[in-house]
Amino acid sequence: MFKIHYSEEALADLDNIWEYIAFKLKNPDAAINTVNGVMDAIDRMSEYPLSGTPLNVLIDIESDYRFVTYRNYLAYYHLGNNVVNIDRVLYKGQDCVKALFLE
């Protein structure tokens, strides 16, 4: 079983998702459900770390990144030594190349 590790950026992404849905969209219940849903999808990676989609399916780039989807959000991760490293959690319309490789 793999351990799940969230980067500081991924944790900030989850906070930002919650704040946007809870305050901007004024739907705190949906905010909780969305963040919990994303985290549940990520938690499944502890047992099936290779079940996420390779990033090169989305874009023509060679990388070790994979992603798992929950509704409109994608959690991008790479594998370490028995660790699933969650690097970012982004809205599907965000530029993942910029977020993963340029920021």
Side-chain angles (χ1 to χ4, degrees), residues 49-88:
L50 294 175
S51 65
T53 306
L55 181 60
N56 63 9
V57 168
L58 288 182
I59 55 174
D60 186 23
I61 190 168
E62 189 65 33
S63 110
D64 293 334
Y65 278 106
R66 302 177 84 80
F67 65 92
V68 61
T69 304
Y70 178 77
R71 296 188 181 167
N72 291 326
Y73 296 93
L74 290 84
Y76 295 91
Y77 69 95
H78 70 278
L79 300 176
N81 189 15
N82 292 321
V83 177
V84 176
N85 295 293
I86 309 301
D87 294 296
R88 298 297 305 261

Side-chain angles (χ1 to χ4, degrees), residues 21-64:
I21 297 171
F23 297 115
K24 183 86 171 179
L25 300 181
K26 300 183 187 315
N27 195 338
D29 290 336
I32 291 168
N33 291 336
T34 299
V35 170
N36 285 342
V38 170
M39 293 180 77
D40 288 346
I42 290 168
D43 286 345
R44 285 191 285 280
M45 295 298 102
S46 67
E47 292 188 47
Y48 307 104
L50 294 175
S51 65
T53 306
L55 181 60
N56 63 9
V57 168
L58 288 182
I59 55 174
D60 186 23
I61 190 168
E62 189 65 33
S63 110
D64 293 334

Side-chain angles (χ1 to χ4, degrees), residues 81-99:
N81 189 15
N82 292 321
V83 177
V84 176
N85 295 293
I86 309 301
D87 294 296
R88 298 297 305 261
V89 180
L90 304 173
Y91 182 73
K92 69 178 180 179
Q94 284 180 266
D95 184 350
C96 68
V97 173
K98 181 179 176 185

